[in-house]
């Protein structure tokens, strides 16, 4: 009986020693090789307007609805209406533009927003593809740059000239003083015309 009790007392010590040994093996064993890091895509080329305008279709358009994917992971097609036709399209026409899901492409377009499209036609599809982005958000700065490339299409908007009555008391006094003078000039011209008519009748 004594031997059994002794053996039972030794069991916890044996388990503790075994646990320490396992822990030591785990801590000293080499760590598993980590997975290879995911390489980031090469730096996307900057947008160059001088290169973009070489595309066969160039236009300013408004996105009129949400995009629809043709297939999983494939191009997303957006309906657009041409606001300003610059090259290869007609103003006011409704088009479908396929946005290529490349790493360097614009990821999505927003409905009711304006963009510039520098695209090409492949079959029945207008494809915004290539190594550089082919869709740029409309900005005043981009509009100014586009005007340099297409000066005959994008003309500066005429300035609206409006006339209003002077708000200052001095300005109102000038108007009041000038008004009788204008009336006198008109009366004088009418009198001169009447004299000329009467002179012609007497001469006749």
């Amino acid at each position: 009986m004594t031997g059994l009790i002794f053996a039972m007392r030794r069991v916890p010590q044996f388990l503790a020693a075994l646990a320490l040994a396992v822990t030591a093996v785990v801590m000293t064993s080499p760590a598993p090789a980590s997975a290879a890091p995911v390489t980031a895509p090469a730096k996307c080329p900057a947008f160059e307007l001088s290169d973009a305008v070489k595309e066969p279709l160039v236009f300013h358009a408004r996105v009129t609805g949400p995009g629809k994917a043709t297939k999983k992971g494939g191009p997303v097609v957006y309906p657009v209406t041409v606001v300003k036709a610059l090259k290869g399209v007609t103003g006011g026409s409704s088009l479908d533009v396929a946005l290529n899901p490349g790493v360097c492409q614009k990821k999505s377009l927003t409905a009711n927003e304006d963009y510039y499209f520098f695209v090409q036609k492949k079959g029945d599809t207008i494809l915004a593809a290539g190594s550089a982005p082919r869709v740029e958000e409309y900005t005043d700065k981009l509009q100014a740059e586009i005007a340099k490339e297409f000066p005959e299409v994008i003309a500066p908007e005429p300035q609206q000239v409006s006339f209003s009555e002077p708000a200052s008391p001095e300005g109102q006094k000038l108007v009041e003083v000038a008004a009788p003078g204008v009336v006198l000039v008109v009366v004088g011209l009418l009198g001169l015309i009447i004299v000329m008519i009467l002179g012609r009748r007497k001469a006749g």
Side-chain angles (χ1 to χ4, degrees):
M1 192 69 178
T2 304
L4 180 60
I5 295 173
F6 176 77
M8 290 178 66
R9 287 178 179 176
R10 292 291 304 270
V11 168
Q13 296 178 3
F14 172 75
L15 291 177
L18 181 61
L20 288 173
V22 171
T23 303
V25 170
V26 171
M27 293 181 65
T28 56
S29 61
S34 59
V38 178
T39 56
K43 185 178 179 181
C44 295
F47 175 77
E48 295 290 343
L49 180 61
S50 57
D51 293 334
V53 295
K54 295 176 184 178
E55 295 289 355
L57 281 68
V58 180
F59 54 91
H60 162 206
R62 174 165 295 181
V63 178
T64 57
K68 296 182 180 179
T70 55
K71 60 181 179 180
K72 187 176 181 180
V76 179
V77 178
Y78 290 86
V80 305
T81 298
V82 178
V83 176
K84 180 73 70 174
L86 301 176
K87 185 179 178 184
V89 297
T90 305
S93 56
S94 297
L95 306 173
D96 289 332
V97 178
L99 197 65
N100 197 11
V103 292
C104 290
Q105 302 301 320
K106 185 173 283 294
K107 303 307 178 189
S108 62
L109 305 181
T110 305
N112 300 320
E113 293 291 337
D114 287 16
Y115 298 85
Y116 271 107
F117 295 84
F118 311 88
V119 295
Q120 51 191 271
K121 192 170 185 180
K122 291 187 176 181
D124 296 331
T125 303
I126 296 176
L127 185 63
S131 59
R134 285 294 181 257
V135 180
E136 288 291 306
E137 293 185 25
Y138 178 92
T139 62
D140 291 338
K141 182 178 179 181
L142 181 58
Q143 169 79 357
E145 294 297 320
I146 289 285
K148 296 177 183 178
E149 295 286 343
F150 300 93
E152 70 284 357
V153 180
I154 299 182
E157 296 182 0
Q159 295 182 351
Q160 299 293 332
V161 179
S162 60
F163 298 94
S164 59
E165 295 184 0
S168 63
E170 292 79 5
Q172 292 178 354
K173 288 179 180 179
L174 289 174
V175 173
E176 292 173 358
V177 171
V182 173
V183 173
L184 291 175
V185 171
V186 173
V187 172
L189 289 174
L190 290 175
L192 180 60
I193 293 172
I194 293 172
V195 170
M196 291 176 64
I197 293 174
L198 293 175
R200 289 178 180 177
R201 286 182 178 178
K202 289 180 180 180

